[in-house]
Amino acid sequence: MRAEPVHFNGARHTGNRSVLMNQNSQETKDRLYRIRHSLAHVCAQAVLEHYPQARLGFGPPTEDGFYYDFDFNGAPPQEKDLPRLEETMRRIIAARQPFTRTELQAPEALAKAAALRQNYKTLQIENLRAKGETCFSFYDNGPFSDLCEGPHVAHTGELPAKAFHLDHIAGAYWLGSERNKMLTRIYACAFESDAELAEHLRRRELARERDHKKLGKELELFTFSPMVGKGLPLWLPNGCVIRDCIEQYAREMEFRYGYQRVATPHITRAELYVRSQHLPAYKESMFPPMVIEDRGEDGVVTGSEEYYLKPMNCPHHHMIYAHRPVSYRELPMRLAEYGTCYRFEQSGELNGLLRVRSLCMNDAHIYLAEDQVKEEFRLLLKMYGEFYATFGLKDYRYRLSLRGTENREKFRGSDEMWDRAERILREVLEETAHPFDTGIGEAAFYGPKLDVQFKNLLGREETVSTIQIDFLGPENFDLNYTAPDGQPKRPVIIHRAPLSTHERFISFLIEAYGGAFPTWCAPLQVAIIPVREDVLGYARGIESELRNLGVRAEVDTSQNSFNKKIRSNLKLKIPNLLILGDKERDSGAVTWRRYGEEGQEQLASATFRERLLEEIRARQRRVPANS
RNA sequence: GCCGCCAUAGCUCAGUCGGUAGAGCAUAUCUUUCGUAAAGAUAAGGUCCUCGGUUCAAAUCCGAGUGGCGGCUCCA
């Protein structure tokens, strides 16, 4: 057998939605892995019982259960049919069928797959044989047999009869390629005990409660209109406050780190993107061009120009860099812009704010000499850490994304360029002791990148932001600076976007905070609730004092009862409630109730103002008790 | 783009067998001014996503389109 574990019925895919169990970890051979792996077989067995015409694809364990892909030949089951399959699975489990392993040479293995009429297994044997595999194992239980590496439990009676749940059905391409047939994938959750399954389902339910699409609607942060177009978010006043606060923070941080702000238009002539190589590489992902025709006096078209909505800010920034000769003394030159870009993402990929067609990027390009790259990278890692600490985001890791061996043509530029860039990235990470892992084939077309991978509520990883080294852009645009010896030299470019896009970053924050934003970036910072009508004047006074200081405070002047006012402001997750009644008015005080915290505090209104302003100035985040 | 599911009031949803629609919340008006998670009454609110088909009759059945959701593929 080969040293690297072969996964006969485990699909190789890198999709980040259904995370496969790590095959190389110690978990690999453990009990849960065997249970999930064996349940996948039992699932396929049940499917064949109900759908004899079905053909089996891959069926690997995943982070929370397993899936199995089937070709149902035109008659796939629906989700309402899943309970019936579960019942059959339980019957197979009750039958305590032993799993037996058979090892076969290629000809026998192919004969067996043919006898089982499992054409996808035949293909898999052939694929593995082409890679040098000579020995193939099958696992049999009862009437069922499947090409599989194992391991499995001893018999089906060891499988938990209730701690699994056939969850949902989705399409998935054979071998993960869109050129292949779309199979039907049955997803399942599976655990060792009923309690673990219940806990998993409960956590998933909680995550759904915090879904940014749901909270975005409830808290009136953003909306979509079919009249405007799919994937084109409309930011409502509340959501726009969050954007503005984040943007203000980025401006302050970037100013401290020596960035200069620039602004560029939303449309650009095609030439710019031809030069940058974006147009050849990403034409399919760009909105089609606007064509401006030149006409002669007789109305005949004499020529035309194409304009594109910009999918990236970088080429514009390069043109700003190039508008006059640059001295080495000016480097690193850091040009920053919260730039709005438009990308024609595939319609099926659009997802709330997470994947959109118009996005506003916390973009900057740093032009510098090659010997400055390492130091700048250290600064960047420091800045990233500061940003994420402020937002209270801790669950992230760095991924060094490199070229892959497959589709080399995607990656432009010389090998020497790539090696230099990769070496610099690796060295800085090691010298600064930032733990990281590598993602082969995840690089940008112009260079390797450092991706920041955040875990969302369901434990799935999403790339939130990146740092990229680019030796290609300076070549494409013939960018230079004047070196101390008076000669022109090529700068290097670093692309970076620590706060990602407003769309993606805020969707993360909504879910991470469960909609309860810290005071500094909350749409409404202080809700003022008068206990009775005759303290309304006092409430108004407090309100205008706060508003004059730039605090977003509002008196709840609705006709609601006092209790209802408390309730409705809590539902909106307003971080600070001020309760004002006779007691407070007579002593110039306020009663301060914070969202998500037990108890409340009565204090002089001047003291409250000071403490609140300090909290906002420092961009503090108090962690609510319930999160 | 591909596979599957879904679309009823601003929101969340009910609507049986085909006989042109209901609830709660929200909104408006009136009464109530209340000390920590829902005061009371009344009113208004609908192209049952759109278009086409079947039918005496369509929210309901069929087809197409649009939009959303769960995945796959893609992601500068």
Side-chain angles (χ1 to χ4, degrees), chain A residues 88-136:
Chain A
T88 305
M89 286 176 69
R90 296 205 172 89
R91 216 180 58 233
I92 295 166
I93 288 168
R96 303 173 68 86
Q97 298 168 352
F99 281 96
T100 57
R101 178 185 173 102
T102 320
E103 294 190 1
L104 300 174
Q105 298 300 302
E108 292 78 30
L110 285 167
K112 177 150 183 166
L116 292 165
R117 302 171 52 160
Q118 291 298 344
N119 49 314
Y120 292 96
K121 299 296 175 181
T122 303
L123 286 171
Q124 177 63 356
I125 292 170
E126 281 164 356
N127 288 343
L128 287 168
R129 188 156 71 153
K131 288 181 182 168
E133 193 65 40
T134 56
C135 181
F136 302 88

Short mmCIF file of all heavy atoms in Angstrom, two decimals, chain A residues 88-136:
data_model
loop_
_atom_site.label_atom_id
_atom_site.label_comp_id
_atom_site.label_asym_id
_atom_site.label_seq_id
_atom_site.Cartn_x
_atom_site.Cartn_y
_atom_site.Cartn_z
N THR A 88 -35.06 2.36 7.27
CA THR A 88 -34.37 1.20 6.69
C THR A 88 -32.98 1.06 7.27
O THR A 88 -32.52 -0.05 7.59
CB THR A 88 -34.30 1.35 5.16
OG1 THR A 88 -35.63 1.55 4.67
CG2 THR A 88 -33.69 0.12 4.52
N MET A 89 -32.29 2.18 7.45
CA MET A 89 -30.96 2.14 8.05
C MET A 89 -31.01 1.52 9.45
O MET A 89 -30.17 0.72 9.82
CB MET A 89 -30.35 3.54 8.11
CG MET A 89 -29.88 4.07 6.76
SD MET A 89 -29.26 5.76 6.85
CE MET A 89 -27.75 5.56 7.78
N ARG A 90 -32.04 1.91 10.21
CA ARG A 90 -32.16 1.38 11.58
C ARG A 90 -32.40 -0.12 11.56
O ARG A 90 -31.91 -0.85 12.42
CB ARG A 90 -33.29 2.09 12.33
CG ARG A 90 -33.01 3.57 12.51
CD ARG A 90 -33.71 4.21 13.69
NE ARG A 90 -33.16 5.56 13.81
CZ ARG A 90 -33.66 6.62 13.19
NH1 ARG A 90 -34.76 6.51 12.47
NH2 ARG A 90 -33.08 7.81 13.32
N ARG A 91 -33.15 -0.57 10.54
CA ARG A 91 -33.38 -2.01 10.43
C ARG A 91 -32.07 -2.74 10.16
O ARG A 91 -31.79 -3.79 10.73
CB ARG A 91 -34.38 -2.26 9.29
CG ARG A 91 -35.34 -3.42 9.57
CD ARG A 91 -36.30 -3.62 8.41
NE ARG A 91 -35.61 -3.87 7.16
CZ ARG A 91 -35.82 -3.18 6.03
NH1 ARG A 91 -36.69 -2.19 5.99
NH2 ARG A 91 -35.14 -3.49 4.95
N ILE A 92 -31.24 -2.13 9.28
CA ILE A 92 -29.94 -2.75 8.96
C ILE A 92 -29.05 -2.77 10.20
O ILE A 92 -28.36 -3.75 10.47
CB ILE A 92 -29.27 -1.98 7.80
CG1 ILE A 92 -30.10 -2.13 6.52
CG2 ILE A 92 -27.84 -2.47 7.59
CD1 ILE A 92 -29.73 -1.16 5.42
N ILE A 93 -29.12 -1.69 10.97
CA ILE A 93 -28.33 -1.62 12.20
C ILE A 93 -28.77 -2.72 13.17
O ILE A 93 -27.94 -3.43 13.75
CB ILE A 93 -28.46 -0.22 12.85
CG1 ILE A 93 -27.70 0.79 11.99
CG2 ILE A 93 -27.97 -0.23 14.28
CD1 ILE A 93 -27.98 2.24 12.34
N ALA A 94 -30.10 -2.89 13.29
CA ALA A 94 -30.62 -3.91 14.21
C ALA A 94 -30.22 -5.31 13.78
O ALA A 94 -30.12 -6.22 14.61
CB ALA A 94 -32.15 -3.79 14.28
N ALA A 95 -29.93 -5.49 12.48
CA ALA A 95 -29.58 -6.83 11.97
C ALA A 95 -28.15 -7.24 12.33
O ALA A 95 -27.76 -8.38 12.09
CB ALA A 95 -29.78 -6.88 10.46
N ARG A 96 -27.36 -6.32 12.88
CA ARG A 96 -26.00 -6.62 13.33
C ARG A 96 -25.19 -7.35 12.26
O ARG A 96 -24.57 -8.37 12.51
CB ARG A 96 -26.03 -7.45 14.62
CG ARG A 96 -26.78 -6.78 15.76
CD ARG A 96 -26.96 -7.68 16.97
NE ARG A 96 -25.71 -7.97 17.63
CZ ARG A 96 -25.15 -7.21 18.57
NH1 ARG A 96 -25.75 -6.08 18.94
NH2 ARG A 96 -24.01 -7.52 19.12
N GLN A 97 -25.19 -6.75 11.05
CA GLN A 97 -24.44 -7.39 9.94
C GLN A 97 -22.95 -7.11 10.11
O GLN A 97 -22.55 -5.97 10.25
CB GLN A 97 -24.92 -6.82 8.60
CG GLN A 97 -26.39 -7.09 8.32
CD GLN A 97 -26.90 -6.29 7.14
OE1 GLN A 97 -26.21 -5.42 6.63
NE2 GLN A 97 -28.12 -6.57 6.73
N PRO A 98 -22.10 -8.16 10.07
CA PRO A 98 -20.66 -7.92 10.19
C PRO A 98 -20.07 -7.30 8.92
O PRO A 98 -20.54 -7.56 7.81
CB PRO A 98 -20.08 -9.33 10.40
CG PRO A 98 -21.16 -10.28 10.08
CD PRO A 98 -22.46 -9.57 10.00
N PHE A 99 -19.08 -6.41 9.10
CA PHE A 99 -18.33 -5.85 7.97
C PHE A 99 -17.14 -6.77 7.70
O PHE A 99 -16.40 -7.10 8.62
CB PHE A 99 -17.79 -4.46 8.30
CG PHE A 99 -18.83 -3.38 8.19
CD1 PHE A 99 -19.51 -2.94 9.32
CD2 PHE A 99 -19.12 -2.80 6.96
CE1 PHE A 99 -20.46 -1.93 9.23
CE2 PHE A 99 -20.07 -1.79 6.87
CZ PHE A 99 -20.74 -1.36 8.00
N THR A 100 -16.97 -7.20 6.46
CA THR A 100 -15.79 -8.00 6.12
C THR A 100 -15.02 -7.32 5.00
O THR A 100 -15.61 -6.75 4.08
CB THR A 100 -16.19 -9.42 5.67
OG1 THR A 100 -17.10 -9.29 4.56
CG2 THR A 100 -16.86 -10.18 6.80
N ARG A 101 -13.69 -7.41 5.12
CA ARG A 101 -12.83 -6.74 4.15
C ARG A 101 -12.25 -7.77 3.17
O ARG A 101 -11.83 -8.85 3.56
CB ARG A 101 -11.67 -6.06 4.90
CG ARG A 101 -10.66 -5.36 4.01
CD ARG A 101 -9.49 -4.84 4.87
NE ARG A 101 -8.42 -4.31 4.02
CZ ARG A 101 -8.21 -3.00 3.81
NH1 ARG A 101 -9.00 -2.12 4.37
NH2 ARG A 101 -7.22 -2.61 3.03
N THR A 102 -12.27 -7.42 1.89
CA THR A 102 -11.66 -8.27 0.87
C THR A 102 -10.69 -7.42 0.07
O THR A 102 -11.05 -6.31 -0.34
CB THR A 102 -12.72 -8.80 -0.13
OG1 THR A 102 -13.89 -9.14 0.59
CG2 THR A 102 -12.19 -9.99 -0.90
N GLU A 103 -9.46 -7.94 -0.15
CA GLU A 103 -8.51 -7.19 -0.95
C GLU A 103 -8.35 -7.88 -2.30
O GLU A 103 -8.19 -9.09 -2.36
CB GLU A 103 -7.17 -7.09 -0.23
CG GLU A 103 -7.31 -6.24 1.03
CD GLU A 103 -5.99 -5.89 1.69
OE1 GLU A 103 -4.94 -6.30 1.15
OE2 GLU A 103 -6.03 -5.23 2.73
N LEU A 104 -8.47 -7.09 -3.34
CA LEU A 104 -8.44 -7.64 -4.70
C LEU A 104 -7.41 -6.92 -5.55
O LEU A 104 -7.14 -5.73 -5.35
CB LEU A 104 -9.82 -7.50 -5.36
CG LEU A 104 -11.00 -8.19 -4.66
CD1 LEU A 104 -12.29 -7.83 -5.36
CD2 LEU A 104 -10.81 -9.70 -4.65
N GLN A 105 -6.86 -7.65 -6.53
CA GLN A 105 -6.01 -7.03 -7.54
C GLN A 105 -6.93 -6.34 -8.55
O GLN A 105 -8.14 -6.59 -8.60
CB GLN A 105 -5.15 -8.08 -8.24
CG GLN A 105 -4.19 -8.80 -7.30
CD GLN A 105 -3.22 -7.84 -6.63
OE1 GLN A 105 -2.47 -7.15 -7.30
NE2 GLN A 105 -3.24 -7.79 -5.31
N ALA A 106 -6.33 -5.47 -9.36
CA ALA A 106 -7.13 -4.63 -10.24
C ALA A 106 -8.14 -5.40 -11.11
O ALA A 106 -9.32 -5.04 -11.13
CB ALA A 106 -6.21 -3.79 -11.12
N PRO A 107 -7.73 -6.48 -11.81
CA PRO A 107 -8.71 -7.15 -12.68
C PRO A 107 -9.92 -7.67 -11.90
O PRO A 107 -11.06 -7.52 -12.34
CB PRO A 107 -7.89 -8.30 -13.29
CG PRO A 107 -6.46 -7.89 -13.13
CD PRO A 107 -6.40 -7.08 -11.88
N GLU A 108 -9.65 -8.29 -10.72
CA GLU A 108 -10.75 -8.82 -9.91
C GLU A 108 -11.63 -7.69 -9.37
O GLU A 108 -12.85 -7.80 -9.33
CB GLU A 108 -10.21 -9.65 -8.74
CG GLU A 108 -9.53 -10.96 -9.14
CD GLU A 108 -8.12 -10.76 -9.66
OE1 GLU A 108 -7.45 -9.80 -9.21
OE2 GLU A 108 -7.69 -11.53 -10.56
N ALA A 109 -10.95 -6.61 -8.97
CA ALA A 109 -11.70 -5.47 -8.44
C ALA A 109 -12.62 -4.89 -9.51
O ALA A 109 -13.79 -4.59 -9.26
CB ALA A 109 -10.73 -4.40 -7.93
N LEU A 110 -12.10 -4.77 -10.74
CA LEU A 110 -12.92 -4.24 -11.83
C LEU A 110 -14.07 -5.19 -12.14
O LEU A 110 -15.21 -4.76 -12.38
CB LEU A 110 -12.05 -4.04 -13.08
CG LEU A 110 -11.13 -2.83 -13.02
CD1 LEU A 110 -10.09 -2.87 -14.13
CD2 LEU A 110 -11.93 -1.53 -13.08
N ALA A 111 -13.80 -6.49 -12.05
CA ALA A 111 -14.85 -7.47 -12.31
C ALA A 111 -15.94 -7.37 -11.25
O ALA A 111 -17.13 -7.42 -11.54
CB ALA A 111 -14.26 -8.88 -12.32
N LYS A 112 -15.51 -7.14 -10.00
CA LYS A 112 -16.48 -7.04 -8.92
C LYS A 112 -17.36 -5.79 -9.08
O LYS A 112 -18.58 -5.86 -8.94
CB LYS A 112 -15.76 -7.02 -7.57
CG LYS A 112 -16.73 -6.84 -6.40
CD LYS A 112 -16.25 -7.51 -5.13
CE LYS A 112 -17.32 -7.35 -4.06
NZ LYS A 112 -17.13 -8.20 -2.91
N ALA A 113 -16.72 -4.67 -9.40
CA ALA A 113 -17.48 -3.44 -9.61
C ALA A 113 -18.46 -3.61 -10.75
O ALA A 113 -19.61 -3.13 -10.69
CB ALA A 113 -16.53 -2.27 -9.89
N ALA A 114 -18.03 -4.31 -11.79
CA ALA A 114 -18.91 -4.54 -12.94
C ALA A 114 -20.09 -5.43 -12.52
O ALA A 114 -21.23 -5.16 -12.90
CB ALA A 114 -18.13 -5.18 -14.08
N ALA A 115 -19.79 -6.47 -11.72
CA ALA A 115 -20.86 -7.37 -11.27
C ALA A 115 -21.87 -6.62 -10.41
O ALA A 115 -23.07 -6.87 -10.47
CB ALA A 115 -20.26 -8.53 -10.47
N LEU A 116 -21.36 -5.64 -9.63
CA LEU A 116 -22.26 -4.83 -8.79
C LEU A 116 -22.96 -3.76 -9.63
O LEU A 116 -23.83 -3.05 -9.14
CB LEU A 116 -21.46 -4.15 -7.67
CG LEU A 116 -20.87 -5.07 -6.60
CD1 LEU A 116 -19.82 -4.32 -5.78
CD2 LEU A 116 -21.97 -5.60 -5.70
N ARG A 117 -22.55 -3.64 -10.88
CA ARG A 117 -23.06 -2.61 -11.81
C ARG A 117 -22.85 -1.22 -11.26
O ARG A 117 -23.71 -0.34 -11.37
CB ARG A 117 -24.54 -2.88 -12.10
CG ARG A 117 -24.74 -4.29 -12.69
CD ARG A 117 -26.18 -4.66 -12.79
NE ARG A 117 -26.93 -3.63 -13.49
CZ ARG A 117 -28.11 -3.84 -14.05
NH1 ARG A 117 -28.63 -5.04 -14.04
NH2 ARG A 117 -28.77 -2.86 -14.63
N GLN A 118 -21.70 -1.03 -10.60
CA GLN A 118 -21.37 0.28 -10.02
C GLN A 118 -20.33 0.96 -10.91
O GLN A 118 -19.13 0.88 -10.67
CB GLN A 118 -20.89 0.12 -8.58
CG GLN A 118 -21.98 -0.32 -7.63
CD GLN A 118 -23.10 0.69 -7.52
OE1 GLN A 118 -22.97 1.85 -7.93
NE2 GLN A 118 -24.23 0.25 -7.00
N ASN A 119 -20.82 1.65 -11.94
CA ASN A 119 -19.91 2.21 -12.94
C ASN A 119 -19.00 3.30 -12.37
O ASN A 119 -17.88 3.48 -12.81
CB ASN A 119 -20.68 2.74 -14.14
CG ASN A 119 -21.83 3.62 -13.74
OD1 ASN A 119 -22.59 3.27 -12.83
ND2 ASN A 119 -21.96 4.77 -14.36
N TYR A 120 -19.48 4.05 -11.34
CA TYR A 120 -18.61 5.10 -10.76
C TYR A 120 -17.46 4.45 -9.99
O TYR A 120 -16.37 4.99 -9.93
CB TYR A 120 -19.40 6.04 -9.87
CG TYR A 120 -20.38 6.87 -10.66
CD1 TYR A 120 -21.71 6.49 -10.80
CD2 TYR A 120 -19.96 8.05 -11.30
CE1 TYR A 120 -22.61 7.24 -11.53
CE2 TYR A 120 -20.85 8.81 -12.04
CZ TYR A 120 -22.18 8.41 -12.16
OH TYR A 120 -23.05 9.14 -12.90
N LYS A 121 -17.72 3.28 -9.40
CA LYS A 121 -16.66 2.57 -8.68
C LYS A 121 -15.63 2.06 -9.69
O LYS A 121 -14.43 2.08 -9.42
CB LYS A 121 -17.24 1.42 -7.87
CG LYS A 121 -18.26 1.84 -6.83
CD LYS A 121 -17.66 2.71 -5.73
CE LYS A 121 -18.72 3.21 -4.78
NZ LYS A 121 -18.18 4.08 -3.72
N THR A 122 -16.11 1.62 -10.84
CA THR A 122 -15.21 1.20 -11.90
C THR A 122 -14.28 2.35 -12.28
O THR A 122 -13.06 2.19 -12.38
CB THR A 122 -16.01 0.74 -13.14
OG1 THR A 122 -16.90 -0.30 -12.74
CG2 THR A 122 -15.10 0.25 -14.23
N LEU A 123 -14.89 3.52 -12.47
CA LEU A 123 -14.08 4.70 -12.83
C LEU A 123 -13.06 5.00 -11.75
O LEU A 123 -11.91 5.32 -12.04
CB LEU A 123 -15.00 5.93 -13.00
CG LEU A 123 -15.83 5.96 -14.28
CD1 LEU A 123 -16.84 7.10 -14.21
CD2 LEU A 123 -14.93 6.13 -15.50
N GLN A 124 -13.48 4.87 -10.50
CA GLN A 124 -12.58 5.18 -9.39
C GLN A 124 -11.41 4.19 -9.34
O GLN A 124 -10.27 4.59 -9.11
CB GLN A 124 -13.36 5.19 -8.07
CG GLN A 124 -12.52 5.44 -6.84
CD GLN A 124 -11.86 6.82 -6.84
OE1 GLN A 124 -11.95 7.58 -7.79
NE2 GLN A 124 -11.15 7.12 -5.77
N ILE A 125 -11.70 2.93 -9.59
CA ILE A 125 -10.62 1.92 -9.61
C ILE A 125 -9.63 2.28 -10.72
O ILE A 125 -8.42 2.28 -10.52
CB ILE A 125 -11.19 0.50 -9.83
CG1 ILE A 125 -12.00 0.07 -8.61
CG2 ILE A 125 -10.05 -0.50 -10.08
CD1 ILE A 125 -12.80 -1.20 -8.80
N GLU A 126 -10.19 2.65 -11.87
CA GLU A 126 -9.30 3.00 -12.99
C GLU A 126 -8.47 4.23 -12.68
O GLU A 126 -7.28 4.28 -12.98
CB GLU A 126 -10.13 3.19 -14.27
CG GLU A 126 -10.49 1.84 -14.89
CD GLU A 126 -11.60 1.93 -15.92
OE1 GLU A 126 -12.15 3.05 -16.10
OE2 GLU A 126 -11.90 0.90 -16.54
N ASN A 127 -9.10 5.23 -12.05
CA ASN A 127 -8.35 6.44 -11.69
C ASN A 127 -7.22 6.11 -10.73
O ASN A 127 -6.11 6.62 -10.87
CB ASN A 127 -9.28 7.47 -11.04
CG ASN A 127 -10.20 8.10 -12.07
OD1 ASN A 127 -9.95 8.01 -13.27
ND2 ASN A 127 -11.27 8.71 -11.60
N LEU A 128 -7.53 5.27 -9.73
CA LEU A 128 -6.52 4.93 -8.73
C LEU A 128 -5.41 4.08 -9.37
O LEU A 128 -4.24 4.23 -9.06
CB LEU A 128 -7.15 4.17 -7.57
CG LEU A 128 -8.01 5.03 -6.64
CD1 LEU A 128 -8.82 4.14 -5.70
CD2 LEU A 128 -7.16 6.00 -5.84
N ARG A 129 -5.81 3.20 -10.29
CA ARG A 129 -4.82 2.35 -10.95
C ARG A 129 -3.87 3.22 -11.77
O ARG A 129 -2.67 2.99 -11.79
CB ARG A 129 -5.50 1.31 -11.83
CG ARG A 129 -4.49 0.29 -12.36
CD ARG A 129 -5.13 -1.00 -12.71
NE ARG A 129 -5.94 -0.85 -13.92
CZ ARG A 129 -6.19 -1.87 -14.75
NH1 ARG A 129 -5.71 -3.06 -14.50
NH2 ARG A 129 -6.94 -1.68 -15.80
N ALA A 130 -4.44 4.25 -12.41
CA ALA A 130 -3.60 5.14 -13.22
C ALA A 130 -2.58 5.85 -12.34
O ALA A 130 -1.52 6.28 -12.80
CB ALA A 130 -4.48 6.16 -13.94
N LYS A 131 -2.90 5.97 -11.05
CA LYS A 131 -1.97 6.63 -10.13
C LYS A 131 -1.03 5.62 -9.50
O LYS A 131 -0.27 5.95 -8.58
CB LYS A 131 -2.73 7.36 -9.03
CG LYS A 131 -3.43 8.62 -9.53
CD LYS A 131 -4.15 9.34 -8.41
CE LYS A 131 -4.88 10.56 -8.95
NZ LYS A 131 -5.81 11.12 -7.98
N GLY A 132 -1.10 4.37 -9.90
CA GLY A 132 -0.14 3.38 -9.44
C GLY A 132 -0.67 2.42 -8.39
O GLY A 132 0.06 1.57 -7.88
N GLU A 133 -1.94 2.56 -8.05
CA GLU A 133 -2.52 1.66 -7.04
C GLU A 133 -2.69 0.25 -7.64
O GLU A 133 -3.09 0.11 -8.79
CB GLU A 133 -3.88 2.21 -6.62
CG GLU A 133 -4.45 1.58 -5.39
CD GLU A 133 -3.59 1.86 -4.16
OE1 GLU A 133 -3.09 3.01 -4.02
OE2 GLU A 133 -3.41 0.93 -3.37
N THR A 134 -2.38 -0.78 -6.86
CA THR A 134 -2.51 -2.13 -7.39
C THR A 134 -3.49 -2.98 -6.59
O THR A 134 -4.05 -3.94 -7.09
CB THR A 134 -1.15 -2.86 -7.37
OG1 THR A 134 -0.65 -2.83 -6.04
CG2 THR A 134 -0.16 -2.20 -8.31
N CYS A 135 -3.71 -2.60 -5.34
CA CYS A 135 -4.54 -3.42 -4.46
C CYS A 135 -5.77 -2.62 -4.04
O CYS A 135 -5.65 -1.46 -3.65
CB CYS A 135 -3.72 -3.84 -3.24
SG CYS A 135 -4.65 -4.89 -2.12
N PHE A 136 -6.95 -3.24 -4.13
CA PHE A 136 -8.19 -2.52 -3.85
C PHE A 136 -9.01 -3.30 -2.84
O PHE A 136 -9.16 -4.52 -2.96
CB PHE A 136 -8.99 -2.35 -5.15
CG PHE A 136 -8.22 -1.61 -6.20
CD1 PHE A 136 -7.39 -2.27 -7.07
CD2 PHE A 136 -8.29 -0.22 -6.27
CE1 PHE A 136 -6.64 -1.59 -8.02
CE2 PHE A 136 -7.55 0.47 -7.21
CZ PHE A 136 -6.71 -0.21 -8.09
#
